[in-house]
Amino acid sequence: MHSDILIIGNGIAALSLVYHLTELGIDKDIIVLSEEPTTRTNSYLAQGGIAIEFGNATNKNKHIADTISCGIINNQTSTTTILSEAENSIRSIINSGLSFEYDHTGNLLKRREGGHSERRILYHSDTSGKHISDFLIQKVNANKRVKVIQNSFCFKLLREGNTCIGAEVYNTLENTVETIYAAKTILATGGAGALYSNTSNSSQSIGSGIALAKEIGAVITNMEFIQFHPTAFVRKEKTILISEALRGEGAYIKDRNGNRLDGVELLTRDRLSRILYDGMQNGEEYYLDCTDIPEEVLTKFDYVRNSLASFGIDISTTPIPIKPVAHYMCGGITTDVQGKTNIENLYAIGETADTGLHGANRLASNSLTEAITVPYLLTLDLLKSDWKESETSNINHYSVDICRNYTIRIDSLRTMMWEKCGIVRTNSDLEYLRNYIATEMGKLDENSSISYAKLKYKTMLETAMIIVDSSINRSENVGTFWKK
């Protein structure tokens, strides 16, 4: 199979790219490849919104300053470019019909979240990700040159010289392998939160793009910086992320005795997560108290409210039990602001990319800003691009064996990542975990056959090893990274 553009992933970054390609007149064949529907992606579940400043240079500079204050080691040039260009990319989508919340005079309403000095978050109730995704899906479906392929797991990128020419894909329904050649390959595979037992992420968020890119020589950076969201309701059957926008509207955090943790509500996620982690290590329990928030404000948080109601919690009267969970991968495949990697014709966008915007700690709601803006800048670059048809390489042949079950081993890895490579780490724990992962990799290599479960576990091990190695190599505590 051949395509001009192969997009691996179907979250907001992938959908935004198709939108911008269409709007700016790039008339090419596009394949959007994914394991599961967009409704299972992390960005679809995003509650907060889009951090953006329109027009006013002073306010834009404040947004840039807040981002760098939060991330500390950000690439300042990339941060300035992305947050400055965000207005153009997001206005384009708004002008195409995407709506947010407005006041009675027609002005956009904005929320404030942790680390922000101003209200600058555009939102739609507490389901901004769903709202944006549903709008973009309509645009994608309207482009007749887009082919959406689901139930497909990309397990290998193809490289000739220093050029990516496509990918090998495992069909999870038919247990077959297909090769897709493409002039341009874009990784939009999301983060790696599902490597952890406690996470807000979907099950496919295993950092697959990281493993794919590293295998063919792409540069990977800052993988030790995994952001933990401080406020989630965690039960065996479901984890419900509690948007920090609630704290921006007046919710506060209490211990089990009802004592308020003063001054922590709008701390950045890394600082608040460590505060809660330290207390929990000493047997403390924490709650998010929304009972002082006016009813007319709580009605803007229907997703959280209804989700918790299914567990018997009325947030207007009852504090919510909370725990930190793995949430966002701040590092990733090293790219410029246009998503370019060091491999020709290979790009990365969204959470799988490290553009330098997030540094050591992502500022709340900057993820959707990046997921819409970098695809816009990539599209501008592709307007000037050379569109040579990709060359065909030798086709690999694989033996498929679907009899082996990896569920227990996957669960063990996720538990160990949480316990030994989580909010606070030690070198001894990391070395133990590294040896465990290496042993598991060796066991997989004993059998050359493949299956969806095996490929997924192999990818999890490879990405986990990158995170562990990066954690061992870092000596300075900064942002989300904390090692004793």
Side-chain angles (χ1 to χ4, degrees):
M1 186 184 300
H2 286 260
S3 183
D4 296 313
I5 300 172
L6 171 61
I7 303 173
I8 302 169
N10 63 342
I12 284 178
L15 301 176
S16 294
L17 179 57
V18 176
Y19 166 82
H20 290 304
L21 290 168
T22 304
E23 289 295 304
L24 293 174
I26 296 183
D27 188 25
K28 298 290 182 180
D29 290 328
I30 303 169
I31 291 176
V32 178
L33 187 84
S34 65
E35 290 177 71
E36 297 184 3
T38 295
T39 53
R40 293 294 310 279
T41 63
N42 291 335
S43 52
Y44 190 88
L45 300 174
Q47 296 176 33
I50 299 174
I52 179 71
E53 293 285 2
F54 290 124
N56 189 306
T58 299
N59 289 342
K60 285 185 178 180
N61 288 335
K62 286 182 180 179
H63 187 188
I64 293 166
D66 287 349
T67 299
I68 294 172
S69 175
C70 180
I72 306 170
I73 63 169
N74 313 61
N75 181 313
Q76 296 192 21
T77 301
S78 296
T79 299
T80 300
T81 299
I82 292 169
L83 296 182
S84 298
E85 289 290 340
E87 178 172 2
N88 292 327
S89 63
I90 292 164
R91 276 205 186 279
S92 169
I93 296 181
I94 290 174
N95 291 339
S96 292
L98 178 63
S99 62
F100 291 98
E101 302 281 349
Y102 294 85
D103 64 19
H104 67 280
T105 63
N107 293 316
L108 283 164
L109 291 171
K110 298 181 181 180
R111 285 177 175 152
R112 183 183 174 193
E113 296 179 347
H116 288 273
S117 60
E118 306 284 344
R119 285 182 173 265
R120 62 169 68 97
I121 316 299
L122 304 184
Y123 65 94
H124 183 274
S125 184
D126 61 345
T127 55
S128 297
K130 175 183 183 303
H131 180 67
I132 297 166
S133 298
D134 288 344
F135 174 83
L136 292 173
I137 288 170
Q138 293 179 15
K139 297 293 184 180
V140 170
N141 291 339
N143 186 333
K144 301 305 180 186
R145 297 196 68 175
V146 175
K147 183 177 183 179
V148 176
I149 302 176
Q150 293 181 356
N151 303 305
S152 297
F153 180 72
C154 178
F155 67 94
K156 185 179 182 64
L157 294 177
L158 302 175
R159 173 176 168 172
E160 289 287 345
N162 193 48
T163 302
C164 181
I165 61 171
E168 290 183 333
V169 178
Y170 189 96
N171 185 308
T172 63
L173 292 182
E174 300 178 1
N175 295 304
T176 56
V177 174
E178 183 163 20
T179 302
I180 302 175
Y181 297 100
K184 311 290 181 185
T185 300
I186 294 96
L187 294 171
T189 49
L195 295 179
Y196 293 84
S197 55
N198 295 323
T199 181
S200 63
N201 286 193
S202 63
S203 61
Q204 72 247 44
S205 299
I206 59 172
S208 60
I210 306 300
L212 289 169
K214 188 176 189 300
E215 186 182 23
I216 66 166
V219 176
I220 311 296
T221 45
N222 295 324
M223 285 295 290
E224 65 270 34
F225 298 115
I226 302 297
Q227 185 178 79
F228 295 84
H229 197 292
T231 55
F233 175 82
V234 180
R235 291 293 182 269
K236 183 177 181 180
E237 56 269 44
K238 188 175 184 180
T239 295
I240 302 169
L241 193 72
I242 312 298
S243 171
E244 62 194 281
L246 275 165
R247 286 181 275 134
E249 298 293 348
Y252 54 88
I253 295 173
K254 304 191 305 186
D255 64 21
R256 62 182 168 187
N257 294 320
N259 300 312
R260 180 176 177 180
L261 277 63
D262 289 328
V264 305
E265 283 77 21
L266 290 175
L267 290 178
T268 54
R269 292 171 177 176
D270 62 316
R271 294 174 64 193
L272 182 52
S273 289
R274 281 195 294 274
I275 289 171
L276 300 185
Y277 172 85
D278 287 342
M280 291 168 63
Q281 291 297 103
N282 293 317
E284 188 56 85
E285 297 173 358
Y286 294 103
Y287 299 83
L288 185 69
D289 193 329
C290 305
T291 59
D292 287 344
I293 299 178
E295 179 62 28
E296 61 268 22
V297 176
L298 283 181
T299 58
K300 299 292 186 181
F301 295 90
D302 281 345
Y303 170 76
V304 168
R305 195 172 194 175
N306 294 336
S307 297
L308 290 169
S310 68
F311 287 90
I313 296 175
D314 180 351
I315 67 173
S316 68
T317 60
T318 306
I320 309 162
I322 56 169
K323 294 180 180 180
V325 293
H327 183 58
Y328 194 88
M329 184 176 73
C330 296
I333 305 162
T334 308
T335 73
D336 62 12
V337 297
Q338 297 164 327
K340 289 182 181 178
T341 73
N342 61 303
I343 305 298
E344 193 72 23
N345 292 337
L346 177 66
Y347 305 81
I349 55 176
E351 191 174 348
T352 198
D354 182 8
T355 62
L357 173 64
H358 305 306
N361 186 32
R362 175 174 69 86
L363 184 64
S365 289
N366 267 354
S367 55
L368 293 188
T369 309
E370 181 184 49
I372 293 172
T373 303
V374 172
Y376 167 75
L377 296 174
L378 170 54
T379 301
L380 294 178
D381 184 68
L382 291 178
L383 285 168
K384 304 172 288 185
S385 183
D386 179 5
W387 289 91
K388 290 182 180 178
E389 183 173 319
S390 59
E391 297 184 13
T392 301
S393 66
N394 293 329
I395 296 177
N396 297 311
H397 297 279
Y398 298 93
S399 171
V400 175
D401 177 7
I402 61 173
C403 295
R404 295 172 186 255
N405 189 305
Y406 293 87
T407 301
I408 294 175
R409 293 164 74 177
I410 287 173
D411 288 345
S412 296
L413 174 64
R414 297 179 71 225
T415 298
M416 292 188 69
M417 284 292 289
W418 178 258
E419 293 176 348
K420 300 185 181 300
C421 192
I423 297 171
V424 176
R425 306 166 195 179
T426 66
N427 273 331
S428 59
D429 279 347
L430 291 168
E431 291 289 356
Y432 181 92
L433 180 53
R434 192 188 192 287
N435 291 334
Y436 174 85
I437 294 170
T439 300
E440 285 296 293
M441 285 179 165
K443 292 177 181 177
L444 285 185
D445 290 339
E446 293 173 0
N447 187 333
S448 62
S449 63
I450 66 171
S451 67
Y452 177 40
K454 181 180 180 180
L455 291 171
K456 196 157 187 174
Y457 183 46
K458 179 174 182 288
T459 298
M460 294 177 75
L461 290 170
E462 290 170 345
T463 309
M465 183 67 91
I466 295 169
I467 295 171
V468 170
D469 281 343
S470 297
S471 299
I472 291 172
N473 292 334
R474 173 163 287 279
S475 57
E476 178 189 7
N477 289 334
V478 58
T480 64
F481 181 80
W482 203 262
K483 185 165 65 174
K484 291 182 179 179

